[in-house]
Amino acid sequence: MPPCASGFEPHPTSPLAPCFEPHPTKRPAPGTASDPGGWLASGSTSDPVGRPASSTASDLLRRPARSRTPGSALPAAPNSVPDAGPSSAPLIAPLPDQLPEQEARAARSAAVRTGWRKAGHPGHASHAGRAGHAGWRNILLATLICTAAASASTALRIHALTSGPTADLADKSAFITAHITLTDDPRRRPNKNARFTQESYVISADLKLIQTPTTRQAVNVPITVFATGRAWATLLPSQDVEVTGRLARPTPGTLEAAILLVRSPPRVLTPPSALHTAAGALRSGLRSAADVLPPDQRGLLPGLVVGDVSRMDPQVSSDLREAGLSHLNAVSGANLAIVAGAVLALSRLIGLSLPVRAGLAAVAMLAFAVVARPSPSVLRALLMGLAAAIAMGTGRSKDGFAALSATVLFLVLFAPDLARSYGFALSVTATAGILILAPRWRDKLSGTEQEDGLPEEPDHASGPKQHGTPGVERGRMRGPQGEDHIPGREHDGGSSVLCDRRARYRLPRWLAEAVAVPAAAQVAVTPVLVLMAGQLTPVAVVANLLVAPAVAPATLLGFGAALVAPMWPDAAELLVIPAGYAVGWIIMVAGWAVSLPFATVPWPAGLPGLGLLLLTVIVAIPVMRHRPWRAIALTAAAAALVAVLAIRPIVGPWPPKGWLMVMCDVGQGDGLVVSAGQGRGVVVDAGPDPVAMDRCLRRVGVEDVPLLVLTHPHADHVDGLPGVLRNRRVGAVVVGPHRPGSRSAARISATLARQRIPEWTAPPGTRWRFGPSELTVLAPDPAEGEMNGQSEGSAINNSSVVLHVRWRSGSILLGGDLETEAQDDLLHRLPVRADLLKTPHHGSNRQSPAFLASLGARAALISVGADNDYGHPATSTLGLLRSLGLTVYRTDQSGDLAVAEREGGMVVVSRGP
């Protein structure tokens, strides 16, 4: 190595490093022997290595990089001395591909190094310690103040709601006449009661006036209204209506004064405000324009654009939820960002100034929030967007996390009920993950972060040091002749095998960001999902990545259609058609994602699940940070995945080989599939839930339904009809001849007419043959009248279609919901024998012992929901079946049940709950 210049020494630990100045802060006196070049005496602004005398490492890094081609020499610094050998190399050598952005990151890292070294210096230790304690003290003080303020706001709100006349009347369940002001759109409730056919709605409102036979009082408290009747569907927020109903205590934990139960139609007192009238016109216009799309798309598009989920397909909603895409049908920050971005782009094209553009973006966000309704996620996004618009218009810096913190504090202070909203918690945590985690993960994936990682801690024994090792930058050292060299690697013409290997694994920055954003959001919301739903969604990151390109076009086209629909409906339909392709892609991705193995992973719910998740993270972090442990963990995970994906379908496939019938676990209801050949099945009843029925058919692989039998028109047997019709061909539908529930029967007939599916009634003796199965109708007889029973619904239950299904290995009796009277009638009119029994009426206590004994069955299958309100199956029925020698199988305990052929006989196989 060439000798070092005067005042410089060789590096003590690395012979590859250049000479360095041991005490750079101590300058020699001008004109002395220690000043060999006379640079101080001459007034030069450069030191012996070409660095300005007043510069620091951070100053150098903040300067713009001089452009040069890869491999070329760096230009000499101004006023630097001519080439003086090894010591003339600059202290910091930029890489050939160094960019200003990378220099900025290097400057920040240098600043961190400086702070660390100052903290390590004995002269600065006490000052750094005092500053650190003061910082933590300020954080703790601010947290306590915010907590106290939020608690005080909540306490005042609770006192106002629990101490007024509304609370007193609710305690007495008083009947009142009330004037209320709607604060949100009426939301239709799903009807799960077969005997209750009226449409029911839930309405958020403010109670303004209470009238009783003796008093009249003005109040102003929030309430929830439960009402029935179609008249509520057309109401809009801000309307005043008069209703009569009964007050009840509010749901515990909600900041409401009471619940109002209303059965009569409302009397409208005032029209909606002009703003809400315009917003309602836009929402209804988008719904009307979307009528040209298929049913699943016409429901999702308004939900994606303005949060209108009134026509959402239940199956699509379920797929979005389980694929981690449910945020798409709830307006959030992404929608506001797309709208505001479009306004900013248009205003910039026409040459408006920055403050005007920011003002227009703020107005657009406010208008969009009114149209989409102020849900928790919309409020959070709106306040953050307004803060960003103010910062843009005034030219101030934007701090996303500070804006999020201020938004959360403001909303919790003035709307404390949001603190209990899972929607608000999911919105806040997802945003925090995107702001904090996503930039770091993006930089790591794209390789734009500093490769040398965190700055080294100072060596306290050596005293203060300069800002970085001379000749070292971004993991490289300057050799004696100024060439780049990586410590611990053989020099190879200025290139590095290590850097080449790293470069191969880097993603483009746009792709790294597309991966980092959904991953960060999903990691951030996982604790909330564990508390809320008790499950993990590993497929969410992939699903969000795939649907991301379709969200912006669908939102912009849909919002454009909503704007023009009131004036030009035909143009709105033209805009909706390409938007339909975008939402169709989203629906397809969601359906594909939920069909993957482990799309959702069950996890303990509540605090135990959260604790288990925390323990898992604590164990996983050190494992993933060490390469040998990481390799072992990934190998074990891959082996487990292969075992589940490859071995389990071979060992325990579903449906089992040779299956003849599957009883679907649809909850409290009936839904059965009888084999009709490859990919075909006869469906007997559709259960109460379209989603559960569709999934069962998908698991079994049924794509064609030559015959659908609806035994009787109760909700737990027919409400899942849309799930059977979803993406399947249905040849014909058989219904019973006696249908006392005329409204349910009319709804079924209307649905079948829209689908152009023939509707039949079949008398006893009708027989069909499909694949291995032969089906025969045994009851009811159209010539006989209705058969009443003990309860209100007994007449409908006793009119159930009864089927006898025969295979070469045995038979089963499917008795619908027959009760005692119809069972005895069938026994005396047409004695039947069967190997298996589908227990009538979910195992209720309305069973005929003589009828059950006459069948000679060996096993009984019961389709029943867990923890149902009817007490099914009855203890007496279970005892009766076991006393007759029947083995009992239940869907609430075993999940789906399959009847399969084995060695000339039949076996019952359970899928598991």
Side-chain angles (χ1 to χ4, degrees), residues 556-807:
L556 290 176
L557 290 170
F559 198 66
L563 291 175
V564 303
M567 301 169 291
W568 195 359
D570 293 338
E573 292 181 359
L574 292 178
L575 291 174
V576 159
I577 291 174
Y581 290 112
V583 296
W585 168 255
I586 295 173
I587 293 171
M588 185 178 70
V589 170
W592 166 81
V594 298
S595 66
L596 294 176
F598 300 107
T600 58
V601 178
W603 196 268
L607 292 179
L610 193 61
L612 180 60
L613 180 65
L614 179 61
L615 179 63
T616 303
V617 172
I618 292 175
V619 173
I621 288 178
V623 170
M624 299 304 293
R625 290 177 69 92
H626 293 78
R627 183 173 298 177
W629 295 0
R630 181 168 67 242
I632 294 173
L634 293 178
T635 302
L641 187 62
V642 170
V644 171
L645 297 182
I647 300 176
R648 182 179 176 182
I650 298 174
V651 176
W654 190 262
K657 184 178 180 180
W659 72 277
L660 302 173
M661 190 197 78
V662 171
M663 175 178 282
C664 301
D665 181 12
V666 294
Q668 181 64 21
D670 274 1
L672 301 96
V673 189
V674 178
S675 176
Q678 184 67 32
R680 306 175 77 224
V682 175
V683 177
V684 181
D685 286 329
D689 185 2
V691 175
M693 195 66 207
D694 176 61
R695 286 183 181 167
C696 179
L697 293 175
R698 281 195 283 180
R699 287 193 296 265
V700 178
V702 171
E703 299 176 354
D704 183 19
V705 180
L707 185 68
L708 168 62
V709 180
L710 299 177
T711 59
H712 62 290
H714 271 170
D716 57 343
H717 292 251
V718 301
D719 276 7
L721 176 60
V724 180
L725 301 179
R726 181 177 174 83
N727 299 325
R728 294 180 185 86
R729 187 195 72 85
V730 177
V733 176
V734 172
V735 297
H738 305 308
R739 294 187 287 172
S742 58
R743 187 167 297 184
S744 296
R747 188 176 73 251
I748 295 170
S749 299
T751 301
L752 298 178
R754 285 195 303 268
Q755 300 287 334
R756 297 181 179 179
I757 299 174
E759 182 179 358
W760 299 340
T761 58
T766 305
R767 184 173 299 176
W768 300 276
R769 181 83 183 188
F770 297 103
S773 307
E774 181 183 272
L775 294 86
T776 304
V777 177
L778 301 182
D781 190 345
E784 297 182 1
E786 296 180 8
M787 193 174 301
N788 296 318
Q790 291 183 350
S791 63
E792 181 182 352
S794 294
I796 300 177
N797 290 336
N798 285 330
S799 65
S800 297
V801 176
V802 180
L803 295 174
H804 185 261
V805 184
R806 182 181 298 277
W807 304 285

Side-chain angles (χ1 to χ4, degrees), residues 89-127:
L91 286 177
I92 295 178
L95 295 179
D97 58 348
Q98 197 168 20
L99 299 173
E101 182 181 0
Q102 293 170 313
E103 288 186 310
R105 275 191 292 273
R108 291 193 294 270
S109 179
V112 173
R113 291 190 187 95
T114 303
W116 281 17
R117 287 176 171 82
K118 285 183 178 180
H121 191 272
H124 297 284
S126 60
H127 174 72

